[in-house]
Amino acid sequence: MRRMLAATAAIALLAATPALAEDGETLNAVQSAQVVDTLIRDLDGYFDPARAAAVKEALRARRAEFTRIGDRAKLAEALSAITLGVSNDQHLRVSVATTSAKVPALTDAEQALLDQRLAYGLMAARRLPANIGYLKLRYFEQSDAGADMVDAALGLLKDTDALVIDLRENTGGGGAADERLLGHLSKKPLVLETIRWTQADGGVEVQQRKVRQGPGAPLYADKPVFVLTAARTFSAAEAFAYSLQANGRAVLVGEKTRGGGNPANRPSPPLGFGLVVFVPNGQVVHPLTGKGWEGTGVVPDVATAPDAALTEAYRRALAVAKPLVSTPKSEKERADAIADPAGALTADQRL
């Protein structure tokens, strides 16, 4: 789950070390070592102490090698090769969060502006030929603005005859947007995953996630829904697809997803110089299946290559859609789309 960075802690880390190299971006050996040592300490927050210990040991064994890496992106890549490779947890990754090593973290205001500029994850909301709805989301926004975006997007698509939700490029997030979208897709609230959160003191808190109902009745409660997935689909996007599949509410079309089922409910620890690490402290099990998707991914109902998934889902949507009204023009549009779904989608994209 996306969380705001702890900017003050990052600033403290940066201030405690020598100045950057002349280019203002390259880390020196002391600074790279500091990043490694901070990472090792932050692994105490991982939910599995045994795996955390194994990752720490591997990092210590190659610490001298890491201190010779001054480029932030290359350092993050090298460290992630260890954290991912040893833990087999696709979430336990080091990343570069800022465009400059001199900027330790985005401020809350900058993060809010970034989300606004990204339309809270919305990439497309449109009516495809023959009145099929299409909603594409890059990530699931965690704030209430994400829920408002979902209400607005579905408000435009609520009168379509079937809906395609495209998660092929969605790498997660989680919170208001996904919970609200799920709340719109059924009159009876869908059953979501259970999360076991490991606390800082070692205790465990169990959370049963629930959908967020909109201000009125669900906007897309009983019409066909198709979800597009790919190997890139990750984290909260996998949770979304998994819950719809487990509840029998949607048909999943595309590739098996990446397999990241261990979330976090606290900020990603700053490592200094704009580097952060995502440290999961949660484990997921879905009540309807007794399982999750960690390490296995979500297997689609209809396996297709990613670039063919939209055409396949569109073809299936046309087959099951039940128009409430028709005219000669709409019937011709529908007949043409059924005869050549790929051609209808290509023609729709022409300016």
Side-chain angles (χ1 to χ4, degrees):
M1 296 182 179
R2 281 170 67 254
R3 298 288 167 186
M4 299 301 183
L5 302 177
T8 54
I11 292 171
L13 281 170
L14 191 57
T17 59
L20 293 162
E22 289 185 6
D23 62 6
E25 298 300 329
T26 303
L27 306 186
N28 59 43
V30 173
Q31 292 162 336
S32 295
Q34 175 185 289
V35 170
V36 177
D37 294 340
T38 304
L39 172 59
I40 290 171
R41 289 196 300 272
D42 287 335
L43 288 170
D44 289 339
Y46 190 60
F47 71 88
D48 186 332
R51 272 196 277 179
V55 175
K56 288 181 180 184
E57 182 180 356
L59 290 170
R60 290 190 184 104
R62 296 179 59 181
R63 183 178 182 276
E65 174 187 334
F66 296 137
T67 63
R68 295 192 291 271
I69 303 176
D71 180 271
R72 293 190 305 155
K74 291 180 179 178
L75 180 58
E77 182 180 0
L79 293 173
S80 293
I82 298 296
T83 59
L84 296 174
V86 175
S87 71
N88 291 315
D89 187 328
Q90 292 298 306
H91 271 105
L92 191 57
R93 177 185 296 272
V94 177
S95 60
V96 181
T98 63
T99 57
S100 172
K102 294 178 287 187
V103 179
L106 295 180
T107 66
D108 288 354
E110 288 171 333
Q111 182 64 57
L113 178 59
L114 177 61
D115 286 328
Q116 291 171 22
R117 289 169 59 82
L118 293 174
Y120 303 107
L122 179 65
M123 296 184 76
R126 64 185 300 167
R127 174 195 176 277
L128 299 176
N131 204 39
I132 303 300
Y134 176 74
L135 179 64
K136 185 173 185 178
L137 299 169
R138 176 64 178 80
Y139 66 89
F140 287 113
E141 168 61 33
Q142 65 180 353
S143 72
D144 289 340
D148 294 340
M149 177 274 292
V150 167
D151 290 341
L154 273 192
L156 296 173
L157 301 175
K158 63 183 178 62
D159 295 316
T160 55
D161 299 321
L163 179 65
V164 177
I165 301 174
D166 192 343
L167 303 182
R168 288 175 295 178
E169 296 181 55
N170 192 309
T171 54
D178 52 335
E179 291 170 359
R180 178 61 63 83
L181 183 51
L182 288 164
H184 277 303
L185 297 181
S186 176
K187 291 179 180 177
K188 180 181 179 180
L190 300 171
V191 178
L192 306 188
E193 68 272 20
T194 300
I195 308 177
R196 289 174 52 87
W197 297 113
T198 299
Q199 307 300 309
D201 61 3
V204 174
E205 176 185 337
V206 179
Q207 175 194 7
Q208 177 58 55
R209 288 193 74 204
K210 297 181 179 180
V211 303
R212 289 194 186 202
Q213 300 292 359
L219 295 177
Y220 223 92
D222 51 15
K223 288 181 282 190
V225 176
F226 298 83
V227 177
L228 308 185
T229 63
R232 181 176 170 82
T233 307
F234 188 57
S235 194
E238 295 180 276
F240 183 92
Y242 192 96
S243 284
L244 285 176
Q245 187 181 59
N247 282 272
R249 179 60 187 98
V251 176
L252 273 54
V253 181
E255 274 185 323
K256 184 174 72 170
T257 64
R258 187 166 151 195
N262 296 330
N265 66 347
R266 51 198 181 196
S268 295
L271 304 177
F273 315 104
L275 294 167
V276 297
V277 58
F278 191 100
V279 181
N281 66 313
Q283 294 173 281
V284 171
V285 173
H286 201 286
L288 296 181
T289 65
K291 300 181 292 185
W293 57 94
E294 170 62 27
T296 61
V298 183
V299 179
D301 301 298
V302 182
T304 68
D307 57 0
L310 176 55
T311 300
E312 178 62 25
Y314 181 55
R315 182 183 70 77
R316 290 171 178 266
L318 290 167
V320 298
K322 297 179 180 179
L324 297 179
V325 65
S326 63
T327 66
K329 182 177 180 180
S330 68
E331 284 301 304
K332 181 179 187 310
E333 183 183 55
R334 179 173 168 78
D336 289 345
I338 290 174
D340 184 9
L345 289 174
T346 300
D348 187 55
Q349 293 298 315
R350 294 192 186 118
L351 296 178

PDB file of all heavy atoms in Angstrom, residues 225-229 238 240-246 249-254 257 298-303:
ATOM      1  N   VAL A 225     -18.968  -7.601 -15.642  1.00  0.00           N
ATOM      2  CA  VAL A 225     -17.698  -6.920 -15.386  1.00  0.00           C
ATOM      3  C   VAL A 225     -16.550  -7.834 -15.807  1.00  0.00           C
ATOM      4  O   VAL A 225     -16.548  -9.028 -15.487  1.00  0.00           O
ATOM      5  CB  VAL A 225     -17.547  -6.546 -13.899  1.00  0.00           C
ATOM      6  CG1 VAL A 225     -16.169  -5.929 -13.641  1.00  0.00           C
ATOM      7  CG2 VAL A 225     -18.650  -5.572 -13.480  1.00  0.00           C
ATOM      8  N   PHE A 226     -15.577  -7.267 -16.508  1.00  0.00           N
ATOM      9  CA  PHE A 226     -14.375  -7.976 -16.920  1.00  0.00           C
ATOM     10  C   PHE A 226     -13.166  -7.187 -16.417  1.00  0.00           C
ATOM     11  O   PHE A 226     -13.155  -5.960 -16.458  1.00  0.00           O
ATOM     12  CB  PHE A 226     -14.322  -8.109 -18.446  1.00  0.00           C
ATOM     13  CG  PHE A 226     -15.455  -8.904 -19.017  1.00  0.00           C
ATOM     14  CD1 PHE A 226     -16.689  -8.295 -19.257  1.00  0.00           C
ATOM     15  CD2 PHE A 226     -15.322 -10.247 -19.287  1.00  0.00           C
ATOM     16  CE1 PHE A 226     -17.760  -9.020 -19.755  1.00  0.00           C
ATOM     17  CE2 PHE A 226     -16.384 -10.991 -19.790  1.00  0.00           C
ATOM     18  CZ  PHE A 226     -17.612 -10.372 -20.025  1.00  0.00           C
ATOM     19  N   VAL A 227     -12.161  -7.899 -15.934  1.00  0.00           N
ATOM     20  CA  VAL A 227     -10.961  -7.263 -15.399  1.00  0.00           C
ATOM     21  C   VAL A 227      -9.748  -7.751 -16.185  1.00  0.00           C
ATOM     22  O   VAL A 227      -9.553  -8.961 -16.339  1.00  0.00           O
ATOM     23  CB  VAL A 227     -10.769  -7.571 -13.902  1.00  0.00           C
ATOM     24  CG1 VAL A 227      -9.471  -6.967 -13.378  1.00  0.00           C
ATOM     25  CG2 VAL A 227     -11.953  -7.040 -13.096  1.00  0.00           C
ATOM     26  N   LEU A 228      -8.944  -6.799 -16.680  1.00  0.00           N
ATOM     27  CA  LEU A 228      -7.738  -7.143 -17.425  1.00  0.00           C
ATOM     28  C   LEU A 228      -6.541  -7.168 -16.484  1.00  0.00           C
ATOM     29  O   LEU A 228      -6.335  -6.229 -15.704  1.00  0.00           O
ATOM     30  CB  LEU A 228      -7.485  -6.119 -18.535  1.00  0.00           C
ATOM     31  CG  LEU A 228      -8.644  -5.824 -19.488  1.00  0.00           C
ATOM     32  CD1 LEU A 228      -8.177  -4.894 -20.599  1.00  0.00           C
ATOM     33  CD2 LEU A 228      -9.227  -7.102 -20.060  1.00  0.00           C
ATOM     34  N   THR A 229      -5.749  -8.228 -16.548  1.00  0.00           N
ATOM     35  CA  THR A 229      -4.555  -8.364 -15.713  1.00  0.00           C
ATOM     36  C   THR A 229      -3.340  -8.682 -16.571  1.00  0.00           C
ATOM     37  O   THR A 229      -3.460  -9.135 -17.711  1.00  0.00           O
ATOM     38  CB  THR A 229      -4.732  -9.471 -14.667  1.00  0.00           C
ATOM     39  OG1 THR A 229      -4.904 -10.738 -15.339  1.00  0.00           O
ATOM     40  CG2 THR A 229      -5.928  -9.212 -13.766  1.00  0.00           C
ATOM     41  N   GLU A 238      -3.829  -6.662  -7.392  1.00  0.00           N
ATOM     42  CA  GLU A 238      -4.053  -8.100  -7.301  1.00  0.00           C
ATOM     43  C   GLU A 238      -5.155  -8.408  -6.307  1.00  0.00           C
ATOM     44  O   GLU A 238      -5.987  -9.301  -6.533  1.00  0.00           O
ATOM     45  CB  GLU A 238      -2.758  -8.794  -6.893  1.00  0.00           C
ATOM     46  CG  GLU A 238      -1.650  -8.689  -7.923  1.00  0.00           C
ATOM     47  CD  GLU A 238      -0.378  -9.386  -7.464  1.00  0.00           C
ATOM     48  OE1 GLU A 238       0.411  -8.757  -6.723  1.00  0.00           O
ATOM     49  OE2 GLU A 238      -0.175 -10.554  -7.855  1.00  0.00           O
ATOM     50  N   PHE A 240      -7.663  -6.531  -5.570  1.00  0.00           N
ATOM     51  CA  PHE A 240      -8.911  -6.151  -6.230  1.00  0.00           C
ATOM     52  C   PHE A 240      -9.392  -7.274  -7.154  1.00  0.00           C
ATOM     53  O   PHE A 240     -10.543  -7.716  -7.084  1.00  0.00           O
ATOM     54  CB  PHE A 240      -8.685  -4.862  -7.009  1.00  0.00           C
ATOM     55  CG  PHE A 240      -9.895  -4.310  -7.688  1.00  0.00           C
ATOM     56  CD1 PHE A 240     -10.700  -3.394  -7.048  1.00  0.00           C
ATOM     57  CD2 PHE A 240     -10.221  -4.694  -8.978  1.00  0.00           C
ATOM     58  CE1 PHE A 240     -11.820  -2.866  -7.686  1.00  0.00           C
ATOM     59  CE2 PHE A 240     -11.342  -4.184  -9.615  1.00  0.00           C
ATOM     60  CZ  PHE A 240     -12.143  -3.268  -8.968  1.00  0.00           C
ATOM     61  N   ALA A 241      -8.496  -7.735  -8.023  1.00  0.00           N
ATOM     62  CA  ALA A 241      -8.863  -8.784  -8.969  1.00  0.00           C
ATOM     63  C   ALA A 241      -9.203 -10.092  -8.250  1.00  0.00           C
ATOM     64  O   ALA A 241     -10.171 -10.779  -8.608  1.00  0.00           O
ATOM     65  CB  ALA A 241      -7.717  -9.003  -9.961  1.00  0.00           C
ATOM     66  N   TYR A 242      -8.421 -10.417  -7.223  1.00  0.00           N
ATOM     67  CA  TYR A 242      -8.627 -11.670  -6.496  1.00  0.00           C
ATOM     68  C   TYR A 242      -9.996 -11.678  -5.821  1.00  0.00           C
ATOM     69  O   TYR A 242     -10.727 -12.681  -5.863  1.00  0.00           O
ATOM     70  CB  TYR A 242      -7.526 -11.838  -5.456  1.00  0.00           C
ATOM     71  CG  TYR A 242      -7.455 -13.221  -4.828  1.00  0.00           C
ATOM     72  CD1 TYR A 242      -6.575 -14.180  -5.319  1.00  0.00           C
ATOM     73  CD2 TYR A 242      -8.251 -13.555  -3.738  1.00  0.00           C
ATOM     74  CE1 TYR A 242      -6.494 -15.436  -4.742  1.00  0.00           C
ATOM     75  CE2 TYR A 242      -8.184 -14.805  -3.151  1.00  0.00           C
ATOM     76  CZ  TYR A 242      -7.302 -15.753  -3.659  1.00  0.00           C
ATOM     77  OH  TYR A 242      -7.234 -17.000  -3.083  1.00  0.00           O
ATOM     78  N   SER A 243     -10.362 -10.562  -5.194  1.00  0.00           N
ATOM     79  CA  SER A 243     -11.649 -10.502  -4.492  1.00  0.00           C
ATOM     80  C   SER A 243     -12.818 -10.605  -5.466  1.00  0.00           C
ATOM     81  O   SER A 243     -13.814 -11.288  -5.179  1.00  0.00           O
ATOM     82  CB  SER A 243     -11.756  -9.216  -3.675  1.00  0.00           C
ATOM     83  OG  SER A 243     -10.973  -9.301  -2.505  1.00  0.00           O
ATOM     84  N   LEU A 244     -12.723  -9.948  -6.604  1.00  0.00           N
ATOM     85  CA  LEU A 244     -13.800 -10.061  -7.590  1.00  0.00           C
ATOM     86  C   LEU A 244     -13.932 -11.492  -8.093  1.00  0.00           C
ATOM     87  O   LEU A 244     -15.035 -12.017  -8.256  1.00  0.00           O
ATOM     88  CB  LEU A 244     -13.538  -9.118  -8.760  1.00  0.00           C
ATOM     89  CG  LEU A 244     -13.799  -7.633  -8.498  1.00  0.00           C
ATOM     90  CD1 LEU A 244     -13.416  -6.812  -9.712  1.00  0.00           C
ATOM     91  CD2 LEU A 244     -15.265  -7.396  -8.141  1.00  0.00           C
ATOM     92  N   GLN A 245     -12.800 -12.139  -8.327  1.00  0.00           N
ATOM     93  CA  GLN A 245     -12.823 -13.531  -8.779  1.00  0.00           C
ATOM     94  C   GLN A 245     -13.379 -14.451  -7.697  1.00  0.00           C
ATOM     95  O   GLN A 245     -14.218 -15.322  -7.971  1.00  0.00           O
ATOM     96  CB  GLN A 245     -11.414 -13.959  -9.182  1.00  0.00           C
ATOM     97  CG  GLN A 245     -11.333 -15.332  -9.831  1.00  0.00           C
ATOM     98  CD  GLN A 245      -9.902 -15.701 -10.174  1.00  0.00           C
ATOM     99  OE1 GLN A 245      -9.042 -15.752  -9.309  1.00  0.00           O
ATOM    100  NE2 GLN A 245      -9.630 -15.937 -11.458  1.00  0.00           N
ATOM    101  N   ALA A 246     -12.941 -14.260  -6.461  1.00  0.00           N
ATOM    102  CA  ALA A 246     -13.395 -15.107  -5.356  1.00  0.00           C
ATOM    103  C   ALA A 246     -14.893 -14.957  -5.114  1.00  0.00           C
ATOM    104  O   ALA A 246     -15.578 -15.925  -4.735  1.00  0.00           O
ATOM    105  CB  ALA A 246     -12.617 -14.767  -4.084  1.00  0.00           C
ATOM    106  N   ARG A 249     -17.757 -12.248  -9.158  1.00  0.00           N
ATOM    107  CA  ARG A 249     -18.388 -11.034  -9.672  1.00  0.00           C
ATOM    108  C   ARG A 249     -17.805 -10.572 -11.010  1.00  0.00           C
ATOM    109  O   ARG A 249     -18.414  -9.731 -11.678  1.00  0.00           O
ATOM    110  CB  ARG A 249     -18.250  -9.906  -8.629  1.00  0.00           C
ATOM    111  CG  ARG A 249     -18.852  -8.576  -9.046  1.00  0.00           C
ATOM    112  CD  ARG A 249     -20.345  -8.707  -9.311  1.00  0.00           C
ATOM    113  NE  ARG A 249     -20.916  -7.472  -9.863  1.00  0.00           N
ATOM    114  CZ  ARG A 249     -21.135  -7.247 -11.156  1.00  0.00           C
ATOM    115  NH1 ARG A 249     -20.819  -8.182 -12.062  1.00  0.00           N
ATOM    116  NH2 ARG A 249     -21.676  -6.116 -11.565  1.00  0.00           N
ATOM    117  N   ALA A 250     -16.666 -11.073 -11.397  1.00  0.00           N
ATOM    118  CA  ALA A 250     -16.044 -10.616 -12.644  1.00  0.00           C
ATOM    119  C   ALA A 250     -15.310 -11.762 -13.315  1.00  0.00           C
ATOM    120  O   ALA A 250     -14.948 -12.761 -12.669  1.00  0.00           O
ATOM    121  CB  ALA A 250     -15.084  -9.464 -12.369  1.00  0.00           C
ATOM    122  N   VAL A 251     -15.084 -11.595 -14.602  1.00  0.00           N
ATOM    123  CA  VAL A 251     -14.255 -12.519 -15.372  1.00  0.00           C
ATOM    124  C   VAL A 251     -12.905 -11.855 -15.571  1.00  0.00           C
ATOM    125  O   VAL A 251     -12.821 -10.732 -16.075  1.00  0.00           O
ATOM    126  CB  VAL A 251     -14.898 -12.846 -16.729  1.00  0.00           C
ATOM    127  CG1 VAL A 251     -13.969 -13.733 -17.559  1.00  0.00           C
ATOM    128  CG2 VAL A 251     -16.247 -13.517 -16.531  1.00  0.00           C
ATOM    129  N   LEU A 252     -11.824 -12.538 -15.164  1.00  0.00           N
ATOM    130  CA  LEU A 252     -10.470 -12.009 -15.298  1.00  0.00           C
ATOM    131  C   LEU A 252      -9.870 -12.482 -16.620  1.00  0.00           C
ATOM    132  O   LEU A 252      -9.909 -13.695 -16.920  1.00  0.00           O
ATOM    133  CB  LEU A 252      -9.592 -12.466 -14.138  1.00  0.00           C
ATOM    134  CG  LEU A 252      -9.614 -11.607 -12.862  1.00  0.00           C
ATOM    135  CD1 LEU A 252     -11.027 -11.397 -12.335  1.00  0.00           C
ATOM    136  CD2 LEU A 252      -8.739 -12.230 -11.788  1.00  0.00           C
ATOM    137  N   VAL A 253      -9.315 -11.548 -17.384  1.00  0.00           N
ATOM    138  CA  VAL A 253      -8.766 -11.843 -18.709  1.00  0.00           C
ATOM    139  C   VAL A 253      -7.349 -11.297 -18.785  1.00  0.00           C
ATOM    140  O   VAL A 253      -7.106 -10.136 -18.439  1.00  0.00           O
ATOM    141  CB  VAL A 253      -9.627 -11.206 -19.819  1.00  0.00           C
ATOM    142  CG1 VAL A 253      -9.053 -11.542 -21.197  1.00  0.00           C
ATOM    143  CG2 VAL A 253     -11.081 -11.659 -19.711  1.00  0.00           C
ATOM    144  N   GLY A 254      -6.407 -12.127 -19.221  1.00  0.00           N
ATOM    145  CA  GLY A 254      -5.036 -11.645 -19.398  1.00  0.00           C
ATOM    146  C   GLY A 254      -4.002 -12.615 -18.884  1.00  0.00           C
ATOM    147  O   GLY A 254      -4.120 -13.824 -19.078  1.00  0.00           O
ATOM    148  N   THR A 257      -0.865 -12.528 -12.527  1.00  0.00           N
ATOM    149  CA  THR A 257      -0.281 -11.325 -11.943  1.00  0.00           C
ATOM    150  C   THR A 257       1.035 -11.643 -11.237  1.00  0.00           C
ATOM    151  O   THR A 257       1.445 -12.796 -11.129  1.00  0.00           O
ATOM    152  CB  THR A 257      -1.264 -10.665 -10.970  1.00  0.00           C
ATOM    153  OG1 THR A 257      -1.512 -11.562  -9.872  1.00  0.00           O
ATOM    154  CG2 THR A 257      -2.579 -10.334 -11.662  1.00  0.00           C
ATOM    155  N   VAL A 298      -2.394 -13.953  -9.212  1.00  0.00           N
ATOM    156  CA  VAL A 298      -3.809 -14.215  -9.464  1.00  0.00           C
ATOM    157  C   VAL A 298      -3.918 -14.792 -10.868  1.00  0.00           C
ATOM    158  O   VAL A 298      -3.478 -14.180 -11.840  1.00  0.00           O
ATOM    159  CB  VAL A 298      -4.648 -12.928  -9.354  1.00  0.00           C
ATOM    160  CG1 VAL A 298      -6.125 -13.233  -9.557  1.00  0.00           C
ATOM    161  CG2 VAL A 298      -4.415 -12.250  -8.006  1.00  0.00           C
ATOM    162  N   VAL A 299      -4.491 -15.975 -10.968  1.00  0.00           N
ATOM    163  CA  VAL A 299      -4.605 -16.662 -12.258  1.00  0.00           C
ATOM    164  C   VAL A 299      -5.892 -16.232 -12.949  1.00  0.00           C
ATOM    165  O   VAL A 299      -6.981 -16.371 -12.380  1.00  0.00           O
ATOM    166  CB  VAL A 299      -4.593 -18.192 -12.066  1.00  0.00           C
ATOM    167  CG1 VAL A 299      -4.728 -18.894 -13.409  1.00  0.00           C
ATOM    168  CG2 VAL A 299      -3.316 -18.632 -11.357  1.00  0.00           C
ATOM    169  N   PRO A 300      -5.816 -15.686 -14.159  1.00  0.00           N
ATOM    170  CA  PRO A 300      -7.028 -15.218 -14.834  1.00  0.00           C
ATOM    171  C   PRO A 300      -7.946 -16.371 -15.235  1.00  0.00           C
ATOM    172  O   PRO A 300      -7.507 -17.512 -15.380  1.00  0.00           O
ATOM    173  CB  PRO A 300      -6.483 -14.484 -16.060  1.00  0.00           C
ATOM    174  CG  PRO A 300      -5.170 -15.142 -16.324  1.00  0.00           C
ATOM    175  CD  PRO A 300      -4.610 -15.487 -14.970  1.00  0.00           C
ATOM    176  N   ASP A 301      -9.202 -16.060 -15.428  1.00  0.00           N
ATOM    177  CA  ASP A 301     -10.166 -17.063 -15.906  1.00  0.00           C
ATOM    178  C   ASP A 301      -9.935 -17.359 -17.379  1.00  0.00           C
ATOM    179  O   ASP A 301     -10.145 -18.489 -17.836  1.00  0.00           O
ATOM    180  CB  ASP A 301     -11.596 -16.534 -15.707  1.00  0.00           C
ATOM    181  CG  ASP A 301     -11.898 -16.210 -14.262  1.00  0.00           C
ATOM    182  OD1 ASP A 301     -11.850 -17.123 -13.420  1.00  0.00           O
ATOM    183  OD2 ASP A 301     -12.157 -15.032 -13.963  1.00  0.00           O
ATOM    184  N   VAL A 302      -9.508 -16.343 -18.114  1.00  0.00           N
ATOM    185  CA  VAL A 302      -9.231 -16.487 -19.544  1.00  0.00           C
ATOM    186  C   VAL A 302      -7.803 -16.014 -19.784  1.00  0.00           C
ATOM    187  O   VAL A 302      -7.506 -14.827 -19.670  1.00  0.00           O
ATOM    188  CB  VAL A 302     -10.206 -15.660 -20.393  1.00  0.00           C
ATOM    189  CG1 VAL A 302      -9.919 -15.864 -21.880  1.00  0.00           C
ATOM    190  CG2 VAL A 302     -11.651 -15.997 -20.065  1.00  0.00           C
ATOM    191  N   ALA A 303      -6.906 -16.938 -20.082  1.00  0.00           N
ATOM    192  CA  ALA A 303      -5.499 -16.591 -20.270  1.00  0.00           C
ATOM    193  C   ALA A 303      -5.274 -16.065 -21.686  1.00  0.00           C
ATOM    194  O   ALA A 303      -5.595 -16.742 -22.668  1.00  0.00           O
ATOM    195  CB  ALA A 303      -4.615 -17.800 -20.012  1.00  0.00           C
TER     196      ALA A 303
END
